[in-house]
């Protein structure tokens, strides 16, 4: 699945949970705020998997408090090392990157 998402760019929808509760089929979900309107999921995907060492784009992601700590840590490692991490484990392949 990871390879299909990465190669197609189709990731679905991401929501941040602001308050725990129950959501059932047919219930509405509302956009409350879009604090980084230029920082779309498509932009994040492009930076992580296509333009993998684009320093300005990586810097933008590293400084976006709305992103998870793990994504910010990943882009900070790329910025400091100048290298893309191995994707082998995530993609379930030996030696893939």
């Amino acid at each position: 699945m990871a390879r299909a998402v990465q190669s197609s760019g189709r990731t679905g929808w991401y929501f941040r949970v602001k308050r725990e509760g129950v959501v059932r089929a047919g219930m509405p979900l509302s956009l409350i705020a879009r604090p980084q309107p230029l920082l779309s999921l498509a932009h994040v995907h492009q930076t992580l998997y296509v333009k993998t060492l684009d320093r300005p784009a990586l810097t933008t992601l590293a400084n976006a408090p709305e992103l998870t700590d793990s994504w910010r840590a990943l882009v900070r490692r790329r910025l400091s090392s100048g290298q893309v991490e191995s994707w082998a484990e995530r993609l379930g392949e030996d030696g893939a990157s």
Side-chain angles (χ1 to χ4, degrees), residues 15-19 29-35:
F15 289 96
R16 174 167 283 170
V17 175
K18 300 296 269 184
R19 181 180 59 200
L29 298 176
S30 301
L31 176 64
I32 296 170
R34 189 182 305 269

Side-chain angles (χ1 to χ4, degrees), residues 24-28:
R24 291 185 179 83
M27 293 177 73

Side-chain angles (χ1 to χ4, degrees), residues 21-95:
V22 176
V23 177
R24 291 185 179 83
M27 293 177 73
L29 298 176
S30 301
L31 176 64
I32 296 170
R34 189 182 305 269
Q36 296 270 358
L38 299 178
L39 193 57
S40 67
L41 192 53
H43 175 79
V44 173
H45 182 273
Q46 184 79 4
T47 302
L48 292 180
Y49 304 120
V50 180
K51 297 181 179 181
T52 56
L53 293 175
D54 180 328
R55 292 191 67 80
L58 289 169
T59 301
T60 297
L61 295 184
N63 294 316
E66 295 81 12
L67 293 182
T68 66
D69 291 339
S70 62
W71 284 10
R72 287 196 326 267
L74 178 125
V75 297
R76 286 182 179 133
R77 283 192 301 273
R78 284 189 192 175
L79 283 166
S80 66
S81 71
Q83 297 180 338
V84 177
E85 68 286 348
S86 172
W87 296 343
E89 184 176 345
R90 185 176 56 75
L91 297 178
E93 299 175 357
D94 293 328

